[in-house]
Amino acid sequence: MARFVDRAVLHLQAGDGGHGCSSVHREKFKPLGGPDGGNGGNGGDVTLIVDPNVHTLLDFHFHPHAKAGNGKGGAGDHREGANGTGLELNVPEGTVVLDGHGNMLADLIGAGTRYVAAKGGRGGLGNAALASRARKAPGFALLGEPGDVADITLELKSMADVGLVGFPSAGKSSLVSVLSAAKPKIADYPFTTLEPNLGVVTAGGEIYTIADVPGLIPGASQGKGLGLEFLRHIERCSVLVHVVDCATFESGRDPVSDIEALEAELAQYTPSLSDDLAERPRLVVLNKIDVPEARELAEFVQADLEEAGYRVFQISTASHEGLNALKYAMAEVVAADRTARPVKVAPRLIVRPAAFDEEQFKVVVDPEVDGGFIVTGSRPERWILQTDFNNDEAVGYLADRLARLGVEDKLSKLGAKAGAPVQIGPISFDWEPTTLAGVNLEPIERGFDPRLEQIDRVGAADRKALHRLRRGLEVENPELVDTDIEVLRARLAPREGDQAAWDDEGWADPKWDLHEATESTRNETEPAAEGEQPREQEQRR
């Protein structure tokens, strides 16, 4: 037996990007072939597509997990990895996509409408794409980015033109069965209808759809009965039809009080996609007039309802009395709504580049770790995921990227010291401010970065101070400089018969020792002991 499912929760997993390849071209009589590692393939997307042949979310109810294909890794000889296979899920028209907090992400209307619910990860770059003037033969490649993981909720809101509302057992399902070819379940007990029923009605030249939702009771807008689950199916309807049971034997009920109770529930229910339901056209159907007492009651209240502004029709689904007038009246209201409704134009894709001065990252003090910092931003977090931390050269490349972005300077301005814990995405590490970034490195062993093995390295603040001292300027913010200013001046002073230890290209003399410069500066400034000659005089002699 077929089931109607209008709500489903999906757990989506987009494909991961393939890793880049680290390879060197090898050919006979050509020892320096250069890097030839290819890029990894992109991961597949999970896409929702509106299909006119799909009318329920039943498939997603039994199969809530969906995963796209992963991208393949790159290979040598500049061979790029294949992209992952995307996954396309067909959904019925009128499906609304919600996130885990109930916020609407997309309203899928129109055959062929597409929505990417989970984006696949980008493939990592191979070492051929990472080669540059300073790094001619990279011994590493970037890792592929993981695909998006999303938990979404799909809600189906029927695309019917006419919505039938009323109390349980008012005859809504019977009305759908006699006006269309639909065969809903009909019985003589309340809440026979447990799911919306749709039917297609033809009236002259107009063809429209009619929807029967489960019966409403007082408090339905707050979740009582079945009304809250199915009130969303009447949000898109052009006209609402009140179906009133004039032959009910329940005490305290009459057509006027039933309509007032239904209008109160509709006023309290606030749809998320459309305007207030109170503005929709209304028709009132007084049903079951084939019963003599019901006909008398319908004739008695019709004048009061018409005075209130309703168009009233007396019908009988058993004898088919008054059905033609009702059918053409609904067609008239639907046609008027279609004429007044603005024509929907497919939205154009507008690409807006990021602003030039847009903040690309942010550094804040970690409230849970003493002396720690947290770096957030799409670029630093993406670079962390792309880095292979088992490769020293890849870690050095990450340090270069963070330094060029300005993360090093920002940490220095916030007072970060060497060894301070820094958190970027899922990775936490101890910050070393003396890693030289953006310098030309001598090729040594592949996958090895000598900067990570140095002990006495010059930090970014010291480098700025050296540049200013070399130009005869005063050092700004000397409290941020790790090394004493006099020691930096000694570094700039050329030795006898040698060049300066520092120039624009970096350290000119790699054998220059910080400890030696400190001792030399201290000895030159301290007074000589009694009976001793200053070292400077000894050197002159």
Side-chain angles (χ1 to χ4, degrees), residues 78-103:
H78 301 281
R79 290 175 293 176
E80 296 188 353
N83 294 330
T85 303
L87 182 62
E88 296 182 349
L89 305 177
N90 295 329
V91 298
E93 186 176 9
T95 300
V96 178
V97 184
L98 307 175
D99 61 8
H101 302 286
N103 302 319

Side-chain angles (χ1 to χ4, degrees), residues 171-190:
K172 302 183 297 297
S173 299
S174 300
L175 182 57
V176 172
S177 66
V178 297
L179 291 179
S180 66
K183 300 300 179 184
K185 182 179 180 180
I186 301 173
D188 57 352
Y189 55 84

Side-chain angles (χ1 to χ4, degrees), residues 382-399:
R382 189 176 75 247
W383 294 344
I384 286 290
L385 298 177
Q386 294 175 340
T387 302
D388 180 10
F389 286 91
N390 294 323
N391 188 305
D392 289 346
E393 193 175 352
V395 176
Y397 180 70
L398 173 64

